[in-house]
Amino acid sequence: MYRNSHGRPGVVLAAAAVAQFVVALDMSVVNVALPAIRTALGFAPLDLSWVVHVYALTFGGLLLLGGRACDLYGRRRMFVLGLSVFGLCSLAGGLAQAPWQLIAARAGQGLGAAAVAPAALAMLTTTFTEGPRRVRALGVWSAVNAAGGALGVLAGGLLTEYASWRWVMLINLPIVAAALAFIPAGVSAGAPEPARRERLDALGAVLATGGVGLLVLGVVRTDALGWGSPTTWATLAAAAVLLGSFVFTEARVAAAPLLRLGLLHSRWVAGANVLVFLAAAGQFAAFYFVSLYMQQVLGMGAAATGTAFLPFSLGLVAGTVVATRVTASRTPRTALVPGALLAAAGLAWFALISADGSFVADVLGPSLVTSFGTGLVLAPVAAAATTGVAPGEAGMAGGLMNSSRQLGGCIGLAVLATIAARHSGATATPAALNDGYALGLAIAAALYVLAAVVAIGVLPRRRAATAVPRSTDPAENQLEGTPS
């Protein structure tokens, strides 16, 4: 079905890892710089949050489309296109002179990232065969992805305090250039044969992008509008209608669906996507609460807060390395269950934070436990989400998993932030804020426990031997069932 699908494995891994690093970095590097951005560009208080929200909106809304485009038009082509758009928009953001220019640049970054993330994962799953080689590759990819998110806070704090907020955008340029430099050295086109190329499901793309986009929009705007706002409920209702129409279209109308629903018949794919949704909801919220706790309760500055996340980054990498070794000869389930439970234990420890605490007493220990457990989850869940998936649907599976992660993070953060704020009350004293953050961290721990339950109850005990069937025709299933 695919020609030139492999390329040079080491080069493919390097390109995918560097690209994923910059996408993950950009999700957190801007947050610490928001006060400086507001002062420099004259943002209105209610508009400043769009610097973060518009990236989440375009990234999350376009992931399914980006994943399917990788399958239809070639992984390398979408990878290069996405990186180029991402880099150009980073340059535009760094040179922005007005609020609308920065917001437009952030939207463009999200557009580019929505092509890069599924393309990078698809390149790995079609280059490395299922088993130890793929697990090791996904381990490196996951470690770099996790490090990018954690180091984004450090980079944002240091750049804002000692250089300029513009460098939180411009720092992306050399990283994008490094990822693009690997392309000629051995990343294959991975394009489908012309005879097998299908048309993009335009209706499904519109419904999915609109539905996911409205869902993200409705959730992230609860920080200003609240969950009881008629606007919030109208937006979420519209999202539900569009997503329901999308499911109907993919099941009954589309000849070449954007998301083949039969893919979710696999317990590996379905279970991994539910698990990554729950884990991301807990992880994103925990990252947010711990960052605020260090700044607003412990009184740490931006640079100090960023530096305090270094142990978390090291724990993530260590957990990923161990998970890679554990699952090299076993199923992803082997590391997912203890990883989720360990992350839950670390977050429960975090929930014991106190208003008169310190970094060493309240942050360092639980940070190491949580990050190691999270690292045990990252690579195996990516392996589980692509287990048994045919090469021609690698982008589809990658887009689905990244969508689940993005939606889980957005929804989990919005819901838990609202719960924490209500628990803290109107008095923003360190003690009141501490109580709200502690409650949010306790709920994040419960989400990881649920993720462990999903791993135990849904994921198979044995690895799939064939690709997820594409139809009820045995002959076609045999043809398409050859693992990559």
Side-chain angles (χ1 to χ4, degrees):
M1 179 178 178
Y2 272 67
R3 51 183 169 85
N4 301 327
S5 60
H6 296 292
R8 294 170 57 185
V11 176
V12 172
L13 177 57
V18 173
Q20 192 62 35
F21 176 84
V22 74
V23 170
L25 180 81
D26 211 63
M27 293 183 68
S28 58
V29 72
V30 173
N31 294 353
V32 182
L34 288 177
I37 291 173
R38 179 181 59 194
T39 301
L41 297 184
F43 268 90
L46 293 179
D47 294 336
L48 185 64
S49 62
W50 279 105
V51 176
V52 176
H53 292 338
V54 75
Y55 181 82
L57 186 64
T58 52
F59 185 26
L62 294 170
L63 273 167
L64 284 177
L65 177 59
R68 190 55 178 152
C70 294
D71 294 331
L72 299 182
Y73 305 119
R75 295 177 288 277
R76 186 178 70 178
R77 181 178 299 160
M78 296 305 298
F79 185 77
V80 172
L81 178 62
L83 274 177
S84 300
V85 170
F86 188 91
L88 289 173
C89 290
S90 296
L91 176 60
L95 300 177
Q97 300 297 318
W100 72 266
Q101 294 173 351
L102 182 57
I103 289 176
R106 291 286 288 167
Q109 285 182 312
L111 172 64
V116 171
L121 185 56
M123 289 194 311
L124 292 180
T125 56
T126 54
T127 299
F128 297 90
T129 55
E130 283 186 12
R133 295 181 71 245
R134 182 181 291 182
V135 170
R136 284 194 292 269
L138 289 175
V140 173
W141 176 82
S142 299
V144 172
N145 180 31
L151 291 177
V153 180
L154 172 61
L158 294 176
L159 290 172
T160 301
E161 189 160 330
Y162 299 114
S164 165
W165 70 265
R166 296 185 183 278
W167 282 101
V168 303
M169 303 290 288
L170 298 177
I171 193 177
N172 295 330
L173 298 179
I175 306 175
V176 167
L180 289 173
F182 287 110
I183 302 302
V187 178
S188 65
E193 297 288 356
R196 296 300 302 274
R197 184 172 292 170
E198 301 167 341
R199 289 188 176 183
L200 185 66
D201 175 18
L203 178 58
V206 171
L207 293 173
T209 301
V212 174
L214 285 175
L215 178 59
V216 173
L217 177 63
V219 169
V220 300
R221 291 303 290 156
T222 56
D223 61 349
L225 301 176
W227 285 98
S229 167
T231 301
T232 297
W233 283 103
T235 305
L236 295 178
V241 170
L242 289 179
L243 291 175
S245 301
F246 170 71
V247 171
F248 177 81
T249 299
E250 302 305 279
R252 301 294 180 87
V253 178
L258 189 72
L259 174 63
R260 186 175 63 82
L261 299 183
L263 196 65
L264 296 175
H265 293 167
S266 165
R267 288 170 61 189
W268 282 114
V269 176
N273 276 277
V274 174
L275 193 155
V276 80
F277 180 93
L278 293 169
Q283 179 186 346
F284 281 41
F287 209 80
Y288 173 78
F289 290 133
V290 173
S291 178
L292 288 179
Y293 170 73
M294 287 191 286
Q295 293 182 77
Q296 298 188 10
V297 178
L298 299 185
M300 298 169 61
T305 299
T307 305
F309 274 98
L310 278 177
F312 191 89
S313 302
L314 296 175
L316 283 172
V317 174
T320 303
V321 170
V322 172
T324 300
R325 293 180 177 178
V326 169
T327 57
S329 57
R330 301 177 179 87
T331 70
R333 188 177 185 269
T334 309
L336 286 172
V337 175
L341 291 176
L342 192 60
L347 289 171
W349 187 1
F350 258 134
L352 301 177
I353 54 175
S354 62
D356 56 351
S358 66
F359 169 76
V360 174
D362 293 76
V363 178
L364 181 59
S367 180
L368 292 173
V369 174
T370 303
S371 60
F372 187 79
T374 302
L376 288 176
V377 171
L378 290 176
V381 80
T386 56
T387 294
V389 175
E393 294 182 334
M396 182 187 295
L400 177 62
M401 193 199 78
N402 279 288
S403 292
S404 298
R405 174 178 290 158
Q406 188 68 13
L407 287 175
C410 286
I411 294 173
L413 176 56
V415 173
L416 268 63
T418 300
I419 293 174
R422 288 185 176 178
H423 188 72
S424 296
T427 57
T429 63
L433 292 173
N434 180 85
D435 290 345
Y437 301 153
L439 176 60
L441 288 164
I443 297 174
L447 290 173
Y448 263 102
V449 172
L450 288 177
V453 171
V454 170
I456 294 171
V458 179
L459 297 182
R461 293 181 179 274
R462 297 182 179 179
R463 193 184 302 274
T466 59
V468 181
R470 293 193 60 160
S471 75
T472 56
D473 183 348
E476 182 180 350
N477 289 341
Q478 186 176 5
L479 175 65
E480 300 291 335
T482 305
S484 60

